[in-house]
Amino acid sequence: MTDVTVIGTGGMGAAIARNLLRADYRVAVWNRDRARLAPLETAGAVALDHPHEMFSSPVVFSVLADDAAVREVFFDGHVLDTAPAGAVHANLATVGPALAEEAATVHADKGVGYVAAPMFGGVPVAEAGKLDIVTAGAPEQVERVRPALEAISSRVWPVGDSPRQANVVKVAGQVLIASAIQSLSEAVSIGERGGVDAKTLVELFTSTITPGPVYTNYGGRIARGAYTPAGFTPVLGRKDVDLARAQAASTGLGLPVADLLSALLTETIDAGHEQDDWASLADTQRHRDLGEAAR
């Protein structure tokens, strides 16, 4: 029997599985593309042939792309019917708060615990085991998964007893990150058109006005024009910003900056950056002339 199953072994999921293995957890893995499982099998993980096998572990971590993928695997696939009593599913993906609320109900109806545990940090952070993980759910269920979460993170941040609360925090944070990228892109483009070197600008700004990993990491990409390989695409960024807009709308709150960011991310996707990093917002900004607006 394995200790933890990781569902979804893209860049983030694979890094999480490897860190669990390094922490001496017995790990099972499943992915739609089975070719992604081979390196993890070599590292010691047990590759599953079908998601119905996921609850061979008492704890399941899912790292799926979006609401639709979670719904397909966990709701439509009836995998919860196979879960033993006391099993817990921790969803590490960025999904909408409404989906988290629905998931909590569906899981409870099947006698399965559900913890929302979205992450802050890209693939390099995941590989280093330094993620910040926001958790919400029944306290006893959060405690069940906490040791495994601590094995892949620098800190676990409990924010409430309702799973949706963790996803509210995550989508709010994604708006902040997108805002940082766009703001830094605009500042750099002002400087560049005024004859100042981008690398100098980014070093100055991130050492004084805007210190911190978000500005430093994305500032480096912006200065170099380095948008591949993508750590996080504008398609996923727009999805997260739109989740934040939907959450805000559900409470009667307007988000003028998030509305603009959604349009800017759409413009960047339409400009051919669909598979690039969302730092490619800077490329769109660099080519924007007076009078142009996000379409």
Side-chain angles (χ1 to χ4, degrees):
M1 183 176 181
T2 49
D3 302 311
V4 182
T5 296
V6 178
I7 299 295
T9 57
M12 296 293 287
I16 287 166
R18 288 183 183 280
N19 282 327
L20 288 169
L21 288 166
R22 292 188 188 105
D24 293 327
Y25 282 87
R26 295 169 295 178
V27 179
V29 290
W30 178 83
N31 195 76
R32 287 187 183 89
D33 180 1
R34 208 178 189 288
R36 288 183 174 269
L37 301 181
L40 295 171
E41 280 189 283
T42 301
V46 176
L48 303 179
D49 293 319
H50 195 280
H52 280 91
E53 302 173 274
M54 70 171 72
F55 284 106
S56 58
S57 305
V59 171
V60 172
F61 284 178
S62 64
V63 196
L64 300 169
D66 52 27
D67 289 32
V70 172
R71 188 177 298 280
E72 178 184 344
V73 173
F74 285 91
F75 298 179
D76 301 342
H78 303 290
V79 297
L80 298 176
D81 294 336
T82 68
V88 181
H89 168 207
N91 186 353
L92 280 70
T94 302
V95 298
L99 188 281
E101 193 165 15
E102 181 183 357
T105 299
V106 170
H107 282 66
D109 288 345
K110 299 294 185 180
V112 180
Y114 181 81
V115 174
M119 309 167 283
F120 286 110
V123 173
V125 177
E127 290 173 341
K130 299 296 184 182
L131 293 163
D132 281 281
I133 300 179
V134 183
T135 60
E140 65 275 12
Q141 293 169 5
V142 173
E143 287 307 307
R144 278 279 311 282
V145 299
R146 177 188 279 273
L149 293 176
E150 288 177 340
I152 63 172
S153 66
S154 61
R155 181 166 176 178
V156 176
W157 300 79
V159 296
D161 295 347
S162 173
R164 71 187 318 277
Q165 291 171 290
N167 293 107
V168 169
V169 172
K170 179 59 192 286
V171 298
Q174 293 297 84
V175 171
L176 275 178
I177 295 170
S179 301
I181 295 169
Q182 178 62 26
S183 297
L184 191 54
S185 298
E186 292 187 22
V188 169
S189 66
I190 293 168
E192 285 181 321
R193 291 204 183 190
V196 182
D197 175 67
K199 292 181 181 178
T200 301
L201 285 164
V202 168
E203 183 180 3
L204 171 62
F205 293 151
T206 58
S207 298
T208 55
I209 304 169
T210 56
V214 170
Y215 286 100
T216 300
N217 294 338
Y218 285 109
R221 279 187 176 265
I222 290 167
R224 301 189 308 275
Y227 310 129
T228 58
F232 194 76
T233 67
V235 174
L236 292 173
R238 181 178 63 182
K239 180 263 293 184
D240 290 355
V241 169
D242 286 347
L243 287 174
R245 295 169 67 214
Q247 167 61 26
S250 73
T251 64
L253 178 67
L255 297 178
V257 173
D259 291 344
L260 176 59
L261 287 167
S262 181
L264 291 169
L265 286 160
T266 297
E267 183 181 5
T268 299
I269 293 163
D270 291 345
H273 293 292
E274 182 176 0
Q275 300 300 322
D276 293 337
D277 193 88
W278 64 338
S280 56
L281 279 164
D283 187 67
T284 308
Q285 174 59 36
R286 281 178 162 123
H287 291 92
R288 181 174 289 113
D289 293 324
L290 187 64
E292 289 188 21
R295 293 183 291 273

